[in-house]
Amino acid sequence: MRGEILSYDEGSGTGLISGDDSLLYGFARTAVQGEGAVAAGVRVDFVPEGMEATQIVLLPSATAAAAFGQAAGAAPAASAQPAAGYDIKTALFSFKGRLRRRDFWISWAILFVVGLVLNFVPKVSFLLGLAVMVLHLAVGFKRFHDMGKPGWLVVIPWALWYASLGMMVSAFGLSVLSDPNAMQSMDPELLLATGGAAFGLMFLAGLVSFGFWMWLGFGGSQPGPNKYGPNPKGE
């Protein structure tokens, strides 16, 4: 199929092609075969795979025109750049952009180790635990963005968990929850009757949380750029 390059970002090495079928296709610089300047307005021949353009060939007349523009002083198009390494500042401290699966698992491992360390400093573990929770949300937000989905979905398992904890406090009271021995000495039937719904919701929250993190960790990235930013893998 033939089309025309609609836009191209030199920094990320990605852009959009307007096909002659009136559809838009994302593409990566690495999909362009041969030499030539990649710029808006260049006519191309390509093979569509879903909404992604592959096996892109710059048409001779367009290539020559782009080369003439560069000779006249236009900035040359940059070649595709490899994906950057892990950036802890972007991965953990920002809710914007996208996060690839590799960086998601690195971030998860870092936060898991931090959580283990906090267990040994109980005096500050609560406040630092809240900070770690915010970092978890940031990681989940960007991973959902990378999948082309709204980031707020990540709050669903957290909402279920805190709802179940609220039910538990309502059923037993803070004094009982703070004293494990009191619950151990309670009759099992009374324990189940008092907090059965809360136990069930906590179990459901655990399953949902596990499912969400597996989805985030193994779900595929949306090819090409999307409304949240360019593909972090440079594809």
Side-chain angles (χ1 to χ4, degrees), residues 127-232:
L127 293 178
L128 293 181
L130 291 178
V132 171
M133 182 184 72
V134 173
L135 300 183
H136 268 296
L137 290 174
V139 170
F141 253 74
K142 293 190 294 293
R143 186 77 262 278
F144 269 125
H145 287 171
D146 188 47
M147 298 164 67
K149 304 182 185 302
W152 62 262
L153 289 174
V154 77
V155 306
I156 292 178
W158 295 90
L160 282 175
W161 177 257
Y162 282 105
S164 64
L165 185 62
M167 289 183 63
M168 189 73 72
V169 171
S170 176
F172 294 103
L174 288 173
S175 59
V176 175
L177 289 180
S178 62
D179 183 7
N181 294 326
M183 295 186 69
Q184 291 176 5
S185 61
M186 187 178 295
D187 181 81
E189 293 185 2
L190 179 60
L191 183 66
L192 184 61
T194 304
F199 288 134
L201 187 57
M202 290 188 76
F203 179 74
L204 176 62
L207 288 180
V208 171
S209 180
F210 178 79
F212 260 69
W213 287 107
M214 291 300 99
W215 184 21
L216 290 172
F218 295 103
S221 301
Q222 188 175 47
N226 63 20
K227 64 180 180 180
Y228 302 107
N231 191 307

Side-chain angles (χ1 to χ4, degrees), residues 15 30 43 53 60 88-89 91 108 141 186 216:
T30 52
R43 292 285 296 174
I88 189 171
K89 182 179 179 180
W108 186 90
F141 253 74
M186 187 178 295
L216 290 172

